[in-house]
């Protein structure tokens, strides 16, 4: 709905910069598994390990976007599997809130995504990261990069 | 059914009549301390004031003052955060203040113990800056002008704070123990004080005034007013969404912000003692600034303005009651209410939550359901 002007056809040499917040117990382990299994996924995703997705303050997401990240992906345990019982449920509420805020302000909420990837899903981790990177590549650069102040 | 007191108004001045009632509450020891709005020394502002001596009240209190200089919810929070009142304390509050106080209780920043809430019907308020500039000798002059106008027309609505123009809560909610009612009667002739809770009924009994039936045609009057306001509010949302749209909208909105954090200080919901945005997280050191300057080619200071506002928004959107004190506190007149009320409404709708509605409803970000919000997970396209 928003970044129409910035959408490109993927032919340009735009390399998306994506911040990943991955929970220590599931998605970070899945990333390790993808690595040991020699699965390829794009280097555009810069992973930040957090103990739990429930630890992620919405401000982290806003800050990543304002600082110029083209996308933010949050990876946590599947519902019911949270190491801290319910951190991922709380994260889901916060992500829903931040997406609603972005949408209301006419910003692109598609740049923020939350996914459940368990420790055994190395293949799925690589697939999701590839898919999200290509998705963001199509959306084009984050228009917030043009801000002269943040 | 419920109990009420009818105060006869003389000289078309309901403020005087309400003063006599409040004074009586202290005289008969129905309350030990009354917190109510009183004009500042020069009559150029109005502040919550504590009264224990009934003789101090004599006409000085203006419970209907159309000025909200500071939040009464914050005032109560400051006094009861560490320890609830031990004496019987009554506080006169506007509807927005009451809803905010309920949020603060949920945030564990205030206590309702031994507190009696006297809610007033709200005429709307003018900003402290406008009131200071105007030529009224005191707040009562403005009050009477507004009451007169609400019946005969002639009060320019644009003089109200933007928050009040689109406020859909002109009357107190269920947490008021007693209500000072203006809508549904002619306050130039009579004012009703109506008990809404058991505590309130006891208070009215103790006051020694004659107990009567509450006015009958209030409900319709209030419903009509609320309907009008909701319409205005929805139009306001539409306008705002067009105005604050995308990165350009944000740029325009915050271009004049000086990053003073006054909005945060004035906000009653921003109750953290140590704000995240004042923490060392945002002390970067020279390397970071050099990086910003070099990466972007141009970088205007002070930085972290949009970040502060959007961040604060994400922290309080679920509890924002739309009082507009942020906007009133802004030295460069950024229309913050537009941002907070519009986004707050959408976020609250998402969680089916209304701040201040019910003490039993948990704050949306402290709770969850196992099956909910599935459409926000993944690409949302499955």
């Amino acid at each position: 709905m928003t970044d129409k002007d910035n959408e490109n056809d993927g032919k340009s040499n735009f390399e998306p910069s994506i911040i990943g917040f991955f929970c220590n117990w599931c998605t970070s382990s899945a990333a390790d598994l993808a690595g040991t299994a020699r699965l390829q996924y794009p280097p555009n995703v810069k992973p930040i390990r957090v103990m739990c997705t429930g630890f992620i303050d919405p401000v982290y997401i806003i800050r990543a976007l304002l600082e110029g990240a083209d996308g933010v992906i949050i990876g946590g345990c599947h519902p019911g599997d949270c190491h801290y019982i319910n951190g991922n449920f709380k994260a889901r509420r916060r992500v829903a809130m931040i997406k609603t805020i972005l949408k209301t302000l006419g910003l692109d909420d598609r740049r923020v995504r939350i996914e459940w990837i368990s420790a055994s899903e190395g293949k799925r981790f690589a697939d999701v990261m590839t898919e999200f990177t290509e998705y963001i590549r199509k959306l084009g650069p984050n228009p917030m990069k043009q801000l002269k102040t943040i | 059914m419920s109990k009420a007191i009818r105060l006869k108004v003389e000289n078309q001045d309901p403020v005087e009549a309400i003063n006599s009632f409040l004074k009586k509450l202290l005289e008969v020891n129905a309350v030990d301390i009354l917190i109510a709005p009183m004009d500042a020394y020069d009559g150029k502002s109005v502040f919550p004031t504590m009264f224990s001596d009934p003789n101090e009240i004599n006409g000085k209190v203006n419970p209907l003052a159309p000025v909200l200089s500071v939040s009464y919810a914050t005032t109560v929070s400051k006094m009861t955060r560490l320890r609830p009142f031990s004496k019987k304390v009554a506080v006169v509050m506007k509807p927005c203040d009451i809803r905010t106080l309920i949020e603060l209780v949920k945030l564990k920043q205030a206590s309702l113990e031994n507190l009696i809430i006297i809610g007033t019907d709200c005429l709307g308020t003018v900003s402290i800056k406008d009131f200071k500039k105007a030529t009224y000798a005191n707040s009562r002059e403005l009050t009477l002008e507004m009451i007169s106008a609400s019946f005969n027309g002639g009060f320019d609505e644009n003089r109200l704070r933007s928050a009040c123009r689109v406020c859909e809560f002109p009357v107190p909610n269920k947490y008021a123990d007693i209500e000072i009612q203006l809508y549904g009667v002619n306050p130039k002739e009579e004012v009703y004080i109506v008990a809404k809770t058991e505590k309130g009924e006891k208070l009215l009994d103790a006051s020694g005034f004659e107990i009567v039936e509450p006015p009958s045609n209030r409900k319709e009057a209030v419903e009509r007013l609320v309907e009008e306001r909701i319409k205005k509010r929805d139009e306001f949302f539409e306008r705002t969404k067009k105005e604050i749209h995308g990165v350009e909208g944000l740029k325009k909105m915050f271009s004049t912000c000086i990053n003073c954090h006054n909005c945060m200080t004035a906000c009653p919901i921003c109750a953290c003692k140590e704000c995240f945005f004042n923490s060392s997280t945002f002390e970067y050191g020279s390397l970071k600034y050099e990086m910003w300057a070099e990466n972007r080619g141009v970088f205007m200071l002070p930085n972290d303005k949009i970040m502060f506002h959007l961040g604060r928004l994400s922290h309080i959107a679920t509890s924002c009651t739309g009082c507009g004190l942020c906007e009133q506190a802004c030295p460069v007149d950024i229309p913050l209410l537009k941002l907070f009320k519009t986004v707050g409404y959408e976020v609250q709708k998402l969680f089916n939550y209304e701040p201040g509605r019910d003490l039993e409803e948990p704050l949306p970000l402290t709770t969850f359901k196992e099956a909910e919000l599935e459409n926000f997970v993944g690409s949302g396209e499955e």
Side-chain angles (χ1 to χ4, degrees):
Chain A
M1 64 186 271
T2 48
D3 297 349
K4 277 257 154 53
D5 305 341
N6 293 294
E7 282 194 21
N8 59 25
D9 53 12
K11 282 178 202 152
S12 70
N13 52 2
F14 163 59
E15 277 300 334
S17 178
I18 294 167
I19 301 292
F21 292 106
F22 301 141
C23 111
N24 177 60
W25 305 97
C26 289
T27 311
S28 287
S29 297
D32 282 349
L33 186 59
T36 45
R38 307 257 172 151
L39 295 168
Q40 294 289 321
Y41 65 92
N44 304 59
V45 180
K46 281 126 181 132
I48 295 173
R49 185 168 64 168
V50 293
M51 287 312 285
C52 177
T53 49
F55 163 93
I56 300 164
D57 188 318
V59 174
Y60 298 175
I61 302 168
I62 291 168
R63 188 165 175 181
L65 291 173
L66 280 169
E67 293 252 15
D70 298 297
V72 176
I73 185 157
I74 292 153
C77 308
H78 283 275
D81 291 350
C82 178
H83 190 79
Y84 304 99
I85 302 167
N86 53 31
N88 51 357
F89 288 125
K90 290 174 179 163
R92 184 170 62 190
R93 283 210 155 197
R94 289 179 198 143
V95 169
M97 178 184 73
I98 217 74
K99 281 167 97 69
T100 305
I101 291 177
L102 293 174
K103 211 169 188 169
T104 310
L105 296 177
L107 301 165
D108 200 340
D109 64 315
R110 295 172 297 180
R111 293 185 186 278
V112 179
R113 188 182 288 189
I114 186 165
E115 292 274 6
W116 310 134
I117 304 170
S118 78
S120 62
E121 294 176 318
K123 170 80 168 64
R124 185 168 133 75
F125 177 86
D127 290 348
V128 168
M129 295 309 138
T130 309
E131 191 266 327
F132 189 61
T133 305
E134 292 316 306
Y135 185 77
I136 296 294
R137 196 188 299 280
K138 279 203 195 93
L139 283 185
N142 177 1
M144 287 191 186
K145 279 185 200 177
Q146 304 155 1
L147 288 171
K148 291 185 180 64
T149 187
I150 60 169
Chain B
M1 192 187 80
S2 69
K3 293 181 176 176
I5 289 174
R6 179 176 176 275
L7 297 175
K8 201 172 152 12
V9 170
E10 272 158 33
N11 305 324
Q12 307 199 341
D13 184 352
V15 177
E16 196 61 47
I18 301 168
N19 261 279
S20 67
F21 168 75
L22 294 175
K23 185 178 175 185
K24 193 79 182 183
L25 289 183
L26 281 178
E27 274 174 354
V28 300
N29 290 323
V31 302
D32 297 319
I33 292 170
L34 174 77
I35 305 173
M38 184 167 86
D39 281 16
Y41 292 115
D42 57 359
K44 289 293 178 191
S45 194
V46 184
F47 289 102
T49 309
M50 300 176 81
F51 293 91
S52 61
D53 180 355
N55 294 320
E56 285 290 335
I57 289 191
N58 284 338
K60 287 181 210 152
V61 168
N62 185 359
L64 309 177
V67 179
L68 188 65
S69 54
V70 294
S71 163
Y72 285 61
T74 306
T75 308
V76 171
S77 160
K78 262 190 186 145
M79 295 191 260
T80 61
R81 193 172 65 89
L82 298 177
R83 188 178 182 285
F85 286 125
S86 53
K87 293 188 181 281
K88 280 177 286 176
V89 178
V91 57
V92 177
M93 297 179 111
K94 295 191 190 303
C96 58
D97 273 329
I98 299 175
R99 290 182 298 121
T100 309
L101 179 61
I102 298 305
E103 285 303 289
L104 286 177
V105 171
K106 288 195 205 179
L107 288 160
K108 306 209 181 339
Q109 297 299 316
S111 164
L112 297 181
E113 214 179 309
N114 286 323
L115 186 73
I116 296 156
I117 299 176
I118 303 177
T120 63
D121 281 5
C122 188
L123 299 162
T125 60
V126 300
S127 85
I128 44 173
K129 289 172 201 160
D130 290 348
F131 183 67
K132 190 178 175 186
K133 268 185 252 157
T135 52
Y136 302 103
N138 51 44
S139 69
R140 197 189 292 199
E141 275 187 29
L142 175 60
T143 310
L144 299 185
E145 185 186 320
M146 283 174 73
I147 286 177
S148 182
S150 68
F151 281 82
N152 309 329
F155 188 82
D156 181 7
E157 193 186 62
N158 291 321
R159 285 175 60 192
L160 295 179
R161 292 194 299 129
S162 62
C164 304
R165 272 177 252 158
V166 294
C167 172
E168 68 273 44
F169 300 98
V171 297
N173 67 8
K174 64 178 178 182
Y175 288 99
D177 293 300
I178 57 178
E179 280 180 3
I180 299 176
Q181 298 187 345
L182 305 175
Y183 295 118
V185 295
N186 182 353
K188 285 194 283 186
E189 287 167 9
E190 56 180 4
V191 173
Y192 278 85
I193 315 262
V194 180
K196 304 299 276 189
T197 64
E198 215 171 292
K199 241 199 269 183
E201 286 186 0
K202 271 189 201 147
L203 205 69
L204 292 199
D205 285 338
S207 73
F209 282 82
E210 188 197 345
I211 304 290
V212 297
E213 287 287 305
S216 54
N217 46 358
R218 173 178 168 82
K219 203 168 161 242
E220 292 78 50
V222 170
E223 274 171 8
R224 209 174 326 120
L225 183 64
V226 170
E227 204 177 302
E228 256 171 51
R229 292 281 181 80
I230 287 181
K231 206 172 140 222
K232 271 186 199 147
R233 180 199 71 186
D234 291 345
E235 286 165 8
F236 163 84
F237 287 158
E238 284 310 305
R239 280 199 308 277
T240 305
K241 281 181 193 164
K242 275 188 202 124
E243 197 180 314
I244 312 175
H245 191 83
V247 177
E248 283 307 311
L250 282 185
K251 264 160 101 176
K252 215 182 273 171
M253 175 106 183
F254 297 117
S255 66
T256 56
C257 174
I258 59 169
N259 215 5
C260 64
H261 293 194
N262 272 4
C263 45
M264 177 194 92
T265 312
C267 176
I269 299 295
C270 266
C272 298
K273 293 293 151 211
E274 282 178 32
C275 176
F276 178 52
F277 296 101
N278 288 340
S279 72
S280 54
T281 307
F282 300 93
E283 281 174 29
Y284 303 106
S286 56
L287 286 178
K288 180 84 174 166
Y289 284 98
E290 286 164 5
M291 191 199 77
W292 270 321
E294 286 184 338
N295 283 358
R296 291 181 188 240
V298 50
F299 191 67
M300 190 184 273
L301 304 165
N303 56 317
D304 285 345
K305 296 187 330 188
I306 299 177
M307 164 106 127
F308 164 70
H309 288 290
L310 292 189
R312 198 174 87 81
L313 182 62
S314 76
H315 283 173
I316 70 145
T318 50
S319 287
C320 175
T321 51
C323 68
L325 287 180
C326 47
E327 185 169 305
Q328 180 171 265
C330 182
V332 288
D333 297 324
I334 296 172
L336 286 162
L337 181 90
K338 285 182 183 170
L339 178 73
F340 279 78
K341 180 142 179 155
T342 309
V343 174
Y345 178 77
E346 294 295 331
V347 170
Q348 290 155 17
K349 199 166 70 180
L350 173 72
F351 298 119
N352 189 21
Y353 182 77
E354 186 188 298
R357 180 169 57 190
D358 200 321
L359 275 172
E360 302 305 317
E361 281 177 335
L363 297 162
L365 296 185
T366 61
T367 185
F368 61 89
K369 290 189 195 111
E370 287 191 10
E372 63 169 2
L373 306 169
E374 309 282 359
N375 52 330
F376 287 94
V377 178
S379 61
E381 278 160 12
E382 278 115 331

